[in-house]
Amino acid sequence: MEPFVIIALQLTFVAGVIGIAVFAHKHARKKWLAALDNDPDVAPGTASWPAGLSLHTRRAPRIQCTARGGGKNNPPVWSLEGEARRIGARTTLDISEEGLLGGLREKLGWQDVHTGDAGFDARYTIRGSNPDAIRGVLAVPAVHAALHATFGAGMRIVRISQDGSVVASAPRSGRESHEARGLTLALQALTAALDEHADAPAVAEPVPVPSEGAKLAASSASATGAPVPIPLKVK
């Protein structure tokens, strides 16, 4: 086979692959637009190839959600952005679901913000520049509920910087608009609640409650007259 014939076949193949990809993307976007037609809460974004499909809230606080990733070393995610300037001015905030390495990080010196709610502290890893302010804001029922709803919708991490910029992400199981819509509206409610209650009174770190074993040991020591050990808080 002549070299120019081989080259022509290769170019034809590449063009065909590109054409199929473009057609598939246009079809997905058409389906996306149809699903969001006349939605009262969100509107389709302007992102197109190669950024992916996107949507944003129609009302403030504005949240933008975009489909990203999908390659072998770049897992598909929903990438969300917004603003929460009032809470950002008071404290940075980093919230994620507690992973298997959460306890190990604390042993290595990465201290989480503890609220005193055992179930809440076991589920989330929370860090920020002003722990007392964070505890105060998270103690507000509206914020507490919005946080649970956001991570219940599938969010994996929410970060708020000092300038108030919000970035969040969630695994993307597909390109369905309802998945992105739920995440976007949940994050909108969370950022609104955080900003609304940004000035909530600060709450100091809760005093650790001794375990039942420690209580029994202390009780036995008191009965025998032996010194009662006092647990020391390690910073």
Side-chain angles (χ1 to χ4, degrees):
M1 187 177 293
E2 296 294 330
F4 73 89
V5 175
I6 296 176
I7 294 174
L9 290 174
Q10 290 175 334
L11 291 175
T12 300
F13 175 78
V14 171
V17 170
I18 293 175
I20 292 173
V22 171
F23 173 80
H25 178 76
K26 287 184 176 180
H27 176 74
R29 182 162 179 78
K30 184 177 180 180
K31 181 181 176 182
W32 181 269
L33 294 173
L36 297 177
D37 187 33
N38 297 322
D39 190 299
D41 299 311
V42 297
T46 57
S48 58
W49 187 274
L53 305 174
S54 67
L55 59 78
H56 60 81
T57 55
R58 293 184 184 274
R59 294 179 293 275
R62 181 185 171 93
I63 302 294
Q64 173 87 20
C65 179
T66 305
R68 300 194 186 281
K72 181 178 180 181
N73 299 314
N74 187 19
V77 298
W78 292 114
S79 177
L80 299 96
E81 298 178 351
E83 288 186 347
R85 293 188 179 277
R86 294 190 69 236
I87 189 66
R90 190 177 185 194
T91 180
T92 59
L93 188 57
D94 188 316
I95 308 173
S96 61
E97 287 196 312
E98 184 74 72
L100 296 176
L101 300 179
L104 177 60
R105 286 198 301 266
E106 287 206 68
K107 290 180 180 180
L108 294 176
W110 292 83
Q111 293 299 313
D112 295 347
V113 177
H114 293 143
T115 66
D117 181 330
F120 187 89
D121 293 339
R123 180 176 178 183
Y124 301 106
T125 296
I126 303 173
R127 298 191 179 91
S129 58
N130 190 337
D132 290 355
I134 291 172
R135 275 186 287 269
V137 173
L138 293 180
V140 177
V143 176
H144 200 84
L147 178 61
H148 279 311
T150 300
F151 282 85
M155 202 73 74
R156 289 296 176 267
I157 188 166
V158 176
R159 289 194 176 107
I160 301 177
S161 303
Q162 191 172 14
D163 64 358
S165 60
V166 178
V167 294
S169 66
R172 176 163 55 88
S173 60
R175 288 181 176 266
E176 298 299 328
S177 59
H178 67 82
E179 184 181 59
R181 183 182 188 277
L183 286 164
T184 302
L185 295 179
L187 184 62
Q188 181 188 43
L190 176 59
T191 56
L194 287 168
D195 258 6
E196 182 181 352
H197 301 285
D199 295 329
V203 175
E205 184 173 4
V207 177
V209 178
S211 65
E212 290 302 317
K215 291 178 181 178
L216 289 173
S219 177
S220 298
S222 297
T224 59
V228 178
I230 300 175
L232 298 177
K233 180 182 171 183
V234 179
K235 292 285 186 180

